[in-house]
Amino acid sequence: MESALDFHTAKALLEWQIELGADEALCEAPVDRYALEAEKPKAKPKAQAPHPAAVKQAEVDPVSEARAAARSVQDLKALRAAMEAFDHCELKRGARQLVFSDGNPAARVMIIGEAPGRDEDREGRPFVGRAGQLLDRMLAAIGLDRKSDQAESAVYITNVLPWRPPQNRDPKPDEIAMLLPFLERHVALANPDFLILMGNISCQAALGKRGITRLRGQWTEAFGKPAIPMFHPAYLLRTPQAKREAWADLLEIKARLEQPS
Ligand code: URA
């Protein structure tokens, strides 16, 4: 009886397996696939490739990048485009736009200010706020005008930094160093007769030193050009008594312009 039951049970099992698709006997003994899996040599975990952004971060030296970009351009339009494309300065992310320059690039005088403020950031031109309006009046007093199309009476204006620092804070030394190759190229391409360095940040960038009270009014050399440091117009707004020295410096500039270029 028992063997008949076994027979029926075994037959039912076989039929069930055939229904499931197991219609062919491959080997005599059953194979424990779980045991086989455990014996398999483990594949070596793949070495984790560093994230591309991390590689970029580690390899890029922003100053060398700025130098290469500045060296590669041959005119002011291309310089502006190279600066627009420069992505290594954090200030760019907080600013509305690049503030490149204003005035006449053919001018004999090039002014280097500090950095855009709120008004400049909004308008995209340097020195358009209160300090800029004072600067325009100072220039007018010696016959200069940023709108002039005559090289003799025109001025060309830029800043050490082309992007507004947050809350108008002072530019940091690494920001100045990073953007210096562009400023240097800017001066070379505009090729003015001389430079006016407005305030300490401008002196820091162009001369590598500060101390505007001592430096102002003394001719020196920056980027291969004669240069005269002056009090920044924003300082003159806060310290009207310093306008006397500013006036003396303006007369010095006027006298220089009266010399043939
Ligand atoms: N101060 C600067 O030095 N530059 C500007 O463009 C505006 C204010």
Side-chain angles (χ1 to χ4, degrees), residues 97 99 115-129 132:
Q97 57 186 318
V99 175
R118 192 193 50 194
D119 298 316
E120 291 76 18
D121 183 51
R122 223 180 255 153
E123 273 203 38
R125 292 189 299 125
F127 283 104
V128 294

Side-chain angles (χ1 to χ4, degrees), residues 3-19:
S3 64
L5 254 187
D6 281 349
F7 170 78
H8 287 297
T9 308
K11 186 168 173 273
L13 258 175
L14 267 177
E15 281 167 358
W16 181 65
Q17 285 186 2
I18 289 164
E19 253 173 61

Side-chain angles (χ1 to χ4, degrees), residues 113-117 120 126-127 159 232:
E114 181 180 321
E120 291 76 18
F127 283 104
N159 281 313
H232 193 288

Side-chain angles (χ1 to χ4, degrees), residues 94-152:
R96 285 188 194 205
Q97 57 186 318
L98 178 95
V99 175
F100 183 68
S101 71
D102 198 22
N104 184 344
R108 291 182 63 196
V109 191
M110 180 168 178
I111 295 175
I112 301 178
E114 181 180 321
R118 192 193 50 194
D119 298 316
E120 291 76 18
D121 183 51
R122 223 180 255 153
E123 273 203 38
R125 292 189 299 125
F127 283 104
V128 294
R130 275 187 73 223
Q133 287 155 23
L134 174 58
L135 175 64
D136 285 343
R137 292 198 295 278
M138 288 162 63
L139 296 171
I142 53 166
L144 295 177
D145 178 356
R146 67 169 100 185
K147 294 200 181 81
S148 170
D149 55 9
Q150 303 296 307
E152 297 302 312

Side-chain angles (χ1 to χ4, degrees), residues 39-246:
E39 278 166 24
K40 261 195 197 163
K42 290 264 181 298
K44 270 197 196 158
K46 271 198 198 149
Q48 277 259 305
H51 191 278
V55 174
K56 211 170 161 218
Q57 207 67 20
E59 284 170 2
V60 165
D61 167 23
V63 179
S64 315
E65 293 281 312
R67 267 196 216 117
R71 251 199 316 261
S72 73
V73 299
Q74 304 309 324
D75 58 34
L76 291 171
K77 191 168 169 240
L79 178 66
R80 184 191 185 113
M83 290 173 75
E84 298 264 18
F86 186 73
D87 268 337
H88 302 290
C89 183
E90 271 303 309
L91 294 176
K92 182 178 180 181
R93 281 173 253 298
R96 285 188 194 205
Q97 57 186 318
L98 178 95
V99 175
F100 183 68
S101 71
D102 198 22
N104 184 344
R108 291 182 63 196
V109 191
M110 180 168 178
I111 295 175
I112 301 178
E114 181 180 321
R118 192 193 50 194
D119 298 316
E120 291 76 18
D121 183 51
R122 223 180 255 153
E123 273 203 38
R125 292 189 299 125
F127 283 104
V128 294
R130 275 187 73 223
Q133 287 155 23
L134 174 58
L135 175 64
D136 285 343
R137 292 198 295 278
M138 288 162 63
L139 296 171
I142 53 166
L144 295 177
D145 178 356
R146 67 169 100 185
K147 294 200 181 81
S148 170
D149 55 9
Q150 303 296 307
E152 297 302 312
S153 53
V155 281
Y156 185 57
I157 309 175
T158 192
N159 281 313
V160 172
L161 299 186
W163 294 291
R164 180 194 185 193
Q167 279 84 47
N168 296 345
R169 65 154 169 78
D170 273 358
K172 295 180 187 165
D174 64 322
E175 291 163 346
I176 296 177
M178 190 189 300
L179 296 160
L180 196 57
F182 291 118
L183 180 62
E184 200 168 358
R185 192 78 183 126
H186 206 154
V187 173
L189 292 170
N191 195 22
D193 284 359
F194 63 89
L195 300 168
I196 302 175
L197 307 176
M198 286 298 184
N200 262 325
I201 298 295
S202 182
C203 290
Q204 175 73 58
L207 307 174
K209 55 187 171 190
R210 303 168 77 112
I212 191 65
T213 309
R214 197 171 22 88
L215 295 169
R216 59 142 284 276
Q218 308 294 319
W219 285 99
T220 180
E221 201 187 288
F223 307 122
K225 299 282 177 194
I228 186 165
M230 275 191 75
F231 284 136
H232 193 288
Y235 174 75
L236 296 175
L237 285 172
R238 296 192 301 271
T239 323
Q241 63 274 24
K243 283 184 182 165
R244 178 202 290 261
E245 282 104 328

